[in-house]
Amino acid sequence: MNMTQELDRLRNQFASNPEDLNTLSQLESYLLELGDWRGLSVLTAERARGLDPKQAVELWWETLNKLEQHAEHLESPEAISRLALTTGQICEHELEIPEDALSRYIYACEKDPNNLEALAAARKIYLAHEAWDAALEILRHELLQHS
């Protein structure tokens, strides 16, 4: 069975029995191993639907911790950057902690200056906080990346 088939099998198995914690653990491990961190975020979002807000936040914190533990084993700057972007998005959109999101976006940019998605996300937070100089600096960097 190839990776895609195994991932589909685990997703289908979990979809048919969302209480199966063993399958959930296997699915999460597989997504981490494949570097499909957005896939793990989507899985978390699906699981968070229908939970009360406090439980949903706890679930997002669990996912964030799993991703950060996984980051300790990465070597590629690009992979580290992509993972930092994902954790930043969780902080910004799910946990509503823009300061933590910003630090993760900046870290993503330090690891991979070509991560335009992280640059744009950082710029957006700077603009929301009226940090004009920082937003302008990021915009300059983005423009340099496009030229």
Side-chain angles (χ1 to χ4, degrees):
M1 188 178 300
N2 70 32
M3 288 201 235
T4 304
Q5 291 171 326
E6 178 64 11
L7 188 56
D8 287 343
R9 183 190 70 76
L10 288 169
R11 282 186 171 136
N12 290 335
Q13 189 172 338
F14 184 69
S16 68
N17 183 7
E19 303 301 316
D20 184 351
L21 298 181
N22 184 45
T23 299
L24 172 62
S25 178
Q26 289 177 29
L27 181 55
E28 288 176 336
S29 294
Y30 206 73
L31 289 167
L32 284 170
E33 182 182 326
L34 290 173
D36 186 359
W37 306 305
R38 288 184 195 227
L40 184 58
S41 292
V42 168
L43 177 64
T44 302
E46 290 169 359
R47 292 179 57 218
R49 241 180 261 127
L51 294 178
D52 71 64
K54 184 178 178 181
Q55 289 176 315
V57 165
E58 289 173 6
L59 184 60
W60 280 110
W61 275 109
E62 287 175 22
T63 299
L64 184 66
N65 289 331
K66 287 174 188 173
L67 288 167
E68 290 180 339
Q69 288 172 0
H70 182 71
E72 295 172 7
H73 306 287
L74 296 176
E75 295 179 13
S76 159
E78 292 82 10
I80 294 168
S81 178
R82 285 187 298 111
L83 186 96
L85 172 64
T86 300
T87 60
Q89 291 167 331
I90 291 171
C91 287
E92 181 179 8
H93 302 293
E94 306 303 335
L95 298 174
E96 298 179 359
I97 311 170
E99 300 80 16
D100 287 2
L102 180 60
S103 67
R104 285 167 169 84
Y105 295 148
I106 296 300
Y107 182 68
C109 295
E110 289 170 355
K111 287 297 182 180
D112 179 8
N114 296 316
N115 188 333
L116 296 177
E117 195 173 352
L119 285 166
R123 178 176 35 82
K124 181 180 145 205
I125 291 175
Y126 281 134
L127 288 171
H129 288 89
E130 299 181 2
W132 310 123
D133 290 341
L136 185 58
E137 185 60 36
I138 287 182
L139 183 58
R140 284 186 188 121
H141 188 76
E142 287 176 291
L143 291 172
L144 288 173
Q145 295 300 320
H146 283 292
S147 41

